[in-house]
Amino acid sequence: MTVSHAEPVTVAVARRADPARTEEMVAWMRAGTALAEAFPGFLGAGWVRSAPGSGDWHMLYRFADPDTLRRWEESPQRHWWLTSAQGIVEHTHVERRTGIEGWFDPPRTAAVEPLDAEPTVSQSPPRWKQAVTIWLAFFPLSLTATLLTGQFLPGLPTAARVLVMTLTLTPLMTYLVLPRITRALHWWLHGRAAPWRGQRTPRGPRI
């Protein structure tokens, strides 16, 4: 069995449509999301509009890795969905984001409107919070690697020791530690209430 360590891929597709056909555009995007939801690896979708009443739209969708994304993008379902908008939607730009860019996902515009919710305002986390999050992931890894290399590779030259540490820590940071800690601290990064607040202990018998 082959275990994939690929990171999630976020795709932003810029499209243009007549502002008078907003309802048709939203219905079309909902249909595309419903089709993508049936594919393994689908992590979510939404749309970004540059301004109220604008004809410029940015669809966002995310898959678990490049392989699952490719299955969706090469599927007959997606081909049918794209061709159904001919004459209504103009495709202008595609952008893919992975790695460090995808950890915090700073939006390109001010208003982010998920397909399954009312419009909301989303902002990237303050830089100091991003720095603290990266430090929380890097410090324990760096300390552990320093102790282990000092114990098991005491005679290794400094340059070689740093090379071993960076070759080991980079994939651990990229694929394991930082994605997990950013998910755990998502509420703090975006200034939301802690998930355990407001939870009440059930009282009385359960039915």
Side-chain angles (χ1 to χ4, degrees), residues 17-27 49 57 85-89:
D18 185 348
R21 309 187 76 164
T22 296
E23 293 184 0
E24 295 174 67
M25 186 66 175
V26 172
R49 202 175 187 186
W57 306 73
Q86 289 182 356
I88 301 176
V89 180

Side-chain angles (χ1 to χ4, degrees), residues 10-14 58-61 93-97 108:
T10 301
V11 181
V13 185
H58 300 266
M59 282 198 70
L60 307 172
Y61 56 92
H93 179 72
V94 177
E95 179 183 354
R96 296 168 186 254
R97 292 186 293 173
R108 295 301 178 115

Side-chain angles (χ1 to χ4, degrees), residues 33-57:
T33 301
L35 290 173
E37 285 176 347
F39 281 73
F42 177 76
L43 299 179
W47 54 272
V48 180
R49 202 175 187 186
S50 57
S54 172
D56 294 322
W57 306 73

Side-chain angles (χ1 to χ4, degrees), residues 187-188 191-201:
W187 60 273
W188 177 73
R192 299 172 183 170
W196 58 83
R197 290 185 179 178
Q199 295 181 354
R200 300 179 180 178
T201 303

Side-chain angles (χ1 to χ4, degrees), residues 90-167:
E90 176 187 356
H91 311 279
T92 59
H93 179 72
V94 177
E95 179 183 354
R96 296 168 186 254
R97 292 186 293 173
T98 57
I100 295 177
E101 306 176 283
W103 286 334
F104 300 105
D105 292 324
R108 295 301 178 115
T109 56
V112 177
E113 301 176 57
L115 292 176
D116 57 352
E118 294 297 325
T120 58
V121 176
S122 177
Q123 297 178 349
S124 63
R127 289 188 177 272
W128 70 269
K129 286 190 175 183
Q130 297 183 28
V132 169
T133 302
I134 294 174
W135 179 85
L136 288 173
F138 179 75
F139 174 72
L141 279 181
S142 178
L143 178 61
T144 302
T146 300
L147 294 175
L148 291 177
T149 54
Q151 180 178 355
F152 295 104
L153 303 171
L156 203 64
T158 302
R161 186 180 302 179
V162 173
L163 176 63
V164 171
M165 290 176 59
T166 54
L167 287 176

